[in-house]
Structure formats: C-alpha cells, structure tokens
Amino acid sequence: MKIAIAATGDGLDSKVAEKLCDAKALHIIDVDRFEIVRVYCSEDENCDHFFSHKVLDENCEAIICGGIRKEPFEVLAGDSVTRYDGSGLTLNEAVRGMCANELPLIRDCEDGLGCPGLHASHTHCHDHP
C-alpha cells in the first residue's frame, strides 16, 4: 500500500506540514516495505493542487498532512483518498500513527462547515471516506 505525506522538507528529519499548501515536499511511502518510493518537491504557491494530483497519479490510498484547502480536498476526497491529520509529527511518527489508527481523519476542508455525509449517529462520512 502506498501513502503520501506532505512535509516541511525533503529530508527524513522533516515534519508533517501544518497545512497542505505550506508543504515543501510530498513523500510517497510504500507502507508494506516501510520505505520512501519518491519525493516530489514544490515551491509553487499552488503546491497543494500539484501535490493532490500527484497523490492520485501515484495511486496512494491515503495522505497524511495538515489542513487542506477546498479544491485539493475535493480532488482527494473525490478519489476516495483517506486524509489523516499528522501535522507536526515526524515522518516516522506519522506512518506509525496511521498504521496504529491513532491519527484523526480530516473530514472537511479548511473553513468548511463539516462533512454533509457525517451525521450525529455515525462515526464515518458517506460522502468522504
């Protein structure tokens, strides 16, 4: 299984970015082999759009990041990519936290009103897995 981690840099000592739009690198990780497969770097002001499409191009099942703006959120959610909040964690901590089901899900974009498919009686969203 491949996942993506939006990080503050391209080194192993990097941390998960507080927001996807602030990330400097997108690490593609093979969780089964616990290794970095590829790293995409971007200094562009729309890096979150670039990174969200790279997540799909790489067939990642999940992304670990911080807050996500509306358009990149919709790209990821529309392709059923699971979104985890690992902001501030090291890459290693983030992967281990995701594998242990300890990271909270990102259920909505920044400034969103909440997931329309999430109802008080449910613990998951029908519109955004």
Side-chain angles (χ1 to χ4, degrees):
M1 170 174 105
K2 287 197 296 188
I3 66 165
I5 302 179
T8 57
D10 59 0
L12 291 175
D13 59 339
S14 299
K15 295 196 178 220
V16 177
E18 295 291 325
K19 296 182 178 185
L20 182 58
C21 64
D22 294 334
K24 300 296 180 204
L26 184 74
H27 297 255
I28 307 300
I29 312 273
D30 182 323
V31 176
D32 300 323
R33 298 185 313 206
F34 205 73
E35 72 179 19
I36 297 173
V37 175
R38 189 167 290 109
V39 177
Y40 294 97
C41 295
S42 177
E43 297 291 330
D44 187 276
E45 62 186 42
N46 289 317
C47 68
D48 51 348
H49 295 274
F50 173 73
F51 288 153
S52 63
H53 288 284
K54 287 301 177 191
V55 169
L56 302 186
D57 292 347
E58 290 284 346
N59 295 314
C60 294
E61 294 183 32
I63 184 171
I64 302 173
C65 57
I68 309 170
R69 294 190 299 186
K70 183 177 172 62
E71 289 179 25
F73 179 89
E74 290 176 348
V75 167
L76 296 166
D79 207 55
S80 299
V81 174
T82 305
R83 299 145 324 268
Y84 294 100
D85 186 351
S87 53
L89 299 175
T90 65
L91 299 183
N92 189 34
E93 291 169 336
V95 172
R96 292 187 189 284
M98 184 204 74
C99 290
N101 292 316
E102 295 173 345
L103 297 181
L105 293 173
I106 298 173
R107 298 181 186 272
D108 199 3
C109 62
E110 291 179 346
D111 300 325
L113 299 174
C115 231
L118 183 63
H119 304 286
S121 63
H122 296 92
T123 58
H124 66 281
C125 173
H126 298 286
D127 295 336
H128 301 114

